[in-house]
Amino acid sequence: MSIPSSISAADTARMERALRLARRGTALTHPNPMVGAVLVKHGRVVGEGFHVYEDGDHAEILALRNAGSKARGATLYVSLEPCCTTGRTGPCTKAIIAAGVAQVYAAVKDPNPRVSGRGLAELKRAGIAVRAGISEEIARATNEDFAKWIRTGLPFVTMKTALTLDGQIAARAGSATWITSPESREAVQRMRHAADSVITGIGTVLADDPRLTDRTGEPRGRRLLRVVVDSSLRMPLKSDLVRSAKDDVAIFTTRPADSSRARALKRAGVEVISVRARQGHVDLQAVLRELGKRQMLSLLFEGGAALNGAALEAGIVDKMVLFYAPKVMGTGGVPMARIPSRWFPKSPALQNLKLSRYGADFAVEGYFHDVYGDR
């Protein structure tokens, strides 16, 4: 049995419904991917569900349970290839087969090397018609952080910057400057909500005294980890980050983790992690490895010129989101990144560019890396 080669508008609409359901799991599924599922029979939705890590069951299982006996002969639209391995739960493929589902449409194959293609192959061997690739680009973006982490053990890195049309992020070094609109700042809060961790440099802390919190008010499965790169351990004990720490602030430094300064920060509820130095500063690759071990699938960069430049030069940024205000700062401002001029000739170009409006501002979004590894 095979699925027709053409995809109808109804098929696309149902998959988009599955993807909307998947995104209801934002900040609630990691270290698992976000997945939504919709079961349709005789043109009517008979079951649906989306995954939340704490609840355990995968989206497909919830949809099957919701449908009951109506699942037999139905078509399943799922935003990610059904799993065929046993982890916290049993394989979804066996449940789909046992329920008598006739067809399965998956938006994208699972980037997990243990599953990729195998789940669909198992369904096909059981006589179920399968197809992958409906609304694929949206599905890939939905779980780009999971795709990076499951394949490399490292978090997906997004660099966010607010800047003027002439590319500057502050009026002068060490100063705080509001540049973008409330709409842009609201979008940044949504980015924080979707992230497992957010990172900044000590320069930004000393200039802005940020809290780096998720202020959306939306539920989270775990606290947002707030990370500071502070090679010389200059973090003020009276900073908002330290005063608001509840085992959710980590400082990466090249100084000993048992120094008197480190001990004072630890007493205040801040974790101090000593890593090796690279060219006299914290090795950002070591930061990524440590966060990956902690199942931090996504890392949002909200740094200043120094940290942005170091991250770009190290090649660790997967995605950039640049919020431009329709303003010009003129001479004397701070550039978005301090990078040696020798870096430019080998600088990769952003791919898959997307433009968006936020009030009076516009944002440019693009990728340096394909984290799925199949393009």
Side-chain angles (χ1 to χ4, degrees):
M1 184 177 181
S2 62
I3 290 175
S5 57
S6 61
I7 297 297
S8 69
D11 292 326
T12 300
R14 289 158 185 162
M15 187 61 78
E16 288 177 351
R17 170 63 180 168
L19 284 160
R20 287 194 298 273
L21 285 168
R23 288 190 291 274
R24 288 173 64 179
T26 297
L28 298 172
T29 66
H30 288 175
N32 287 355
M34 292 186 285
V35 183
V38 177
L39 273 165
V40 176
K41 188 172 185 179
H42 303 316
R44 297 173 61 89
V45 173
V46 295
E48 59 184 26
F50 65 94
H51 178 56
V52 172
Y53 186 80
E54 290 302 323
D55 292 345
D57 286 331
H58 290 184
E60 300 94 317
I61 303 303
L62 294 171
L64 290 170
R65 187 180 301 153
N66 188 223
S69 62
K70 295 177 182 177
R72 183 162 299 277
T75 297
L76 173 66
Y77 297 84
V78 61
S79 62
L80 188 70
E81 175 182 9
C83 67
C84 56
T85 57
T86 299
R88 295 172 72 231
T89 63
C92 290
T93 49
K94 294 191 182 304
I96 292 168
I97 294 167
V101 171
Q103 300 181 126
V104 174
Y105 289 80
V108 67
K109 290 183 179 179
D110 194 325
N112 185 344
R114 296 178 60 208
V115 177
S116 186
R118 294 181 175 87
L120 293 176
E122 183 176 326
L123 295 174
K124 191 172 183 180
R125 287 195 298 271
I128 296 174
V130 301
R131 178 165 181 168
I134 306 176
S135 303
E136 182 175 4
E137 292 305 318
I138 301 173
R140 290 167 74 97
T142 298
N143 281 309
E144 57 197 10
D145 44 15
F146 173 77
K148 167 82 177 288
W149 180 77
I150 200 65
R151 295 181 64 251
T152 68
L154 302 175
F156 182 86
V157 177
T158 300
M159 179 177 286
K160 181 279 304 180
T161 305
L163 63 169
T164 60
L165 292 176
D166 52 345
Q168 300 183 69
I169 62 174
R172 62 184 183 278
S175 69
T177 308
W178 286 110
I179 292 176
T180 50
S181 66
E183 292 86 352
S184 291
R185 295 197 288 274
E186 182 181 344
V188 170
Q189 284 299 316
R190 292 195 297 271
M191 293 175 70
R192 284 187 191 172
H193 179 65
D196 293 322
S197 50
V198 59
I199 189 169
T200 195
I202 186 60
T204 298
V205 173
L206 295 176
D208 295 354
D209 195 22
R211 295 188 70 175
L212 299 179
T213 50
D214 171 5
R215 296 190 287 275
T216 62
E218 297 296 322
R220 300 185 62 92
R222 50 188 177 180
R223 286 196 184 106
L224 176 68
L225 181 64
R226 298 175 286 166
V227 178
V228 180
V229 174
D230 184 5
S231 297
S232 301
L233 214 54
R234 295 184 290 156
M235 172 68 80
L237 291 172
K238 293 184 178 181
S239 66
D240 275 348
L241 273 168
V242 173
R243 289 191 295 185
S244 64
K246 296 180 180 178
D247 298 320
D248 59 350
V249 175
I251 297 176
F252 284 84
T253 183
T254 59
R255 296 296 175 88
D258 60 352
S259 65
S260 59
R261 183 71 171 177
R263 290 196 298 270
L265 287 165
K266 290 176 184 177
R267 287 194 295 271
V270 175
E271 183 177 8
V272 179
I273 306 163
S274 184
V275 298
R276 71 182 185 185
R278 181 180 289 272
Q279 298 179 340
H281 300 284
V282 166
D283 181 359
L284 294 178
Q285 292 284 2
V287 174
L288 293 194
R289 287 193 294 271
E290 178 61 28
L291 294 178
K293 289 177 185 176
R294 298 178 183 214
Q295 298 186 331
M296 297 285 109
L297 276 60
S298 52
L299 174 62
L300 178 62
F301 259 75
E302 294 196 46
L307 185 60
N308 287 349
L312 290 169
E313 192 172 9
I316 65 170
V317 179
D318 297 302
K319 179 180 181 179
M320 288 190 76
V321 183
L322 306 175
F323 290 88
Y324 282 95
K327 304 172 184 176
V328 174
M329 188 167 290
T331 58
V334 179
M336 69 150 289
R338 289 197 178 94
I339 311 175
S341 58
R342 65 177 181 273
W343 182 76
F344 180 75
K346 60 182 180 181
S347 169
L350 286 172
Q351 303 294 321
N352 300 326
L353 292 180
K354 175 184 172 183
L355 295 176
S356 305
R357 288 291 302 270
Y358 296 97
D361 306 335
F362 69 93
V364 179
E365 176 182 319
Y367 294 83
F368 283 126
H369 305 130
D370 168 28
V371 295
Y372 279 81
D374 56 2
R375 292 183 178 176

